[in-house]
Amino acid sequence: MKIICVGRNYAEHAQELKHEVPKEPIIFLKPKTALLQNNQPFYYPEFTEELHYECELVLRVSKNGKHIQEKFANRYYDRITVGIDFTARDLQRKLMEKGLPWEISKAFDNSTVVGDFIPITPQMDLQNLSFRLLKNEQVVQEGNTRDMLFSFDKIISYASRYFTLNIGDLIFTGTPAGVGPVEVGDYLEAYLGDQNLLSFQVL
């Protein structure tokens, strides 16, 4: 399986990092070894001094597909959760300044924390899903899909132009404004609406 991630999918997040707001999805990949599940603890990596959380909604691909038309894209995912894309911001900044690939700042082992998936139902308004992240019981990041630059279906369609989507692939759909640092000892909880789908300790 692969993890497909979307960068700068919320305008305010792009602006807080002083990046241009994109006109089409920015896609990057993470390997399976980046995945951390089942509320296991996250161990702060030794190669960074500036680790940031980025809370996102995550889709699970339920059907194999390539060159998927946007109007049919909703047939290709069936479950959703919240997740955290951990970023070694100091490494990313140095690599970007040199114009180099920045995978080591994003795709390192256990950098992609995923909560419990729940089924997508007809009652869900996918254009108006709220989610939030708490750090030590304080809300530090909030988002809503109505503020996304590119919808779930647009992301599916766009990504499938370049990569075949396979059952079990995960799609991180972008983080809203409010990213920030974590430290050893922090306790993180992520909610989709009122449902707590992810909670774990940073060690």
Side-chain angles (χ1 to χ4, degrees):
M1 60 86 68
K2 56 189 172 293
I3 303 165
I4 299 172
C5 303
V6 181
R8 306 181 203 170
N9 199 21
Y10 292 79
E12 290 186 2
H13 171 61
Q15 293 162 359
E16 75 177 342
L17 295 183
K18 298 180 173 59
H19 292 150
E20 291 184 7
V21 176
K23 296 181 179 179
E24 58 184 17
I26 297 174
I27 302 292
F28 61 96
L29 301 181
K30 293 192 178 199
K32 183 178 180 179
T33 50
L35 192 62
L36 183 66
Q37 296 176 287
N38 303 319
N39 293 323
Q40 296 181 59
F42 173 85
Y43 291 89
Y44 198 109
E46 78 284 354
F47 49 75
T48 180
E49 296 179 355
E50 190 181 357
L51 186 72
H52 279 197
Y53 57 77
E54 297 186 7
C55 186
E56 313 190 17
L57 292 177
V58 186
L59 304 176
R60 179 192 178 275
V61 175
S62 59
K63 185 178 178 181
N64 297 334
K66 175 75 172 173
H67 293 297
I68 300 164
Q69 295 182 50
E70 187 173 344
K71 63 182 178 180
F72 299 128
N74 65 335
R75 303 177 184 178
Y76 287 82
Y77 56 93
D78 65 350
R79 302 181 78 82
I80 190 169
T81 190
V82 284
I84 295 178
D85 168 20
F86 276 121
T87 303
R89 194 71 72 197
D90 47 357
L91 288 183
Q92 185 187 44
R93 189 180 303 113
K94 291 175 184 178
L95 292 164
M96 292 181 73
E97 287 173 354
K98 296 177 181 179
L100 298 173
W102 35 263
E103 276 84 355
I104 62 172
S105 71
K106 281 273 194 183
F108 54 88
D109 288 355
N110 298 330
S111 62
T112 311
V113 189
V114 174
D116 297 327
F117 280 92
I118 59 174
I120 293 174
T121 65
Q123 291 73 35
M124 285 185 180
D125 181 0
L126 299 184
Q127 309 300 320
N128 187 28
L129 293 178
S130 62
F131 61 103
R132 66 190 187 276
L133 176 69
L134 281 68
K135 183 174 74 170
N136 304 325
E137 301 184 346
Q138 300 294 318
V139 176
V140 291
Q141 195 175 16
E142 295 182 276
N144 190 292
T145 53
R146 64 172 175 261
D147 299 319
M148 295 172 72
L149 298 173
F150 309 106
S151 68
F152 293 161
D153 292 349
K154 176 65 176 179
I155 293 167
I156 291 282
S157 177
Y158 184 86
S160 72
R161 289 167 54 187
Y162 304 96
F163 312 108
T164 297
L165 301 186
N166 296 127
I167 296 171
D169 287 348
L170 304 182
I171 300 180
F172 273 64
T173 60
T175 193
V179 301
V182 292
E183 304 289 345
V184 173
D186 285 343
Y187 187 72
L188 300 179
E189 301 170 271
Y191 288 77
L192 174 56
D194 293 327
Q195 289 186 268
N196 183 339
L197 300 180
L198 176 64
S199 57
F200 65 98
Q201 189 93 35
V202 178
L203 300 177

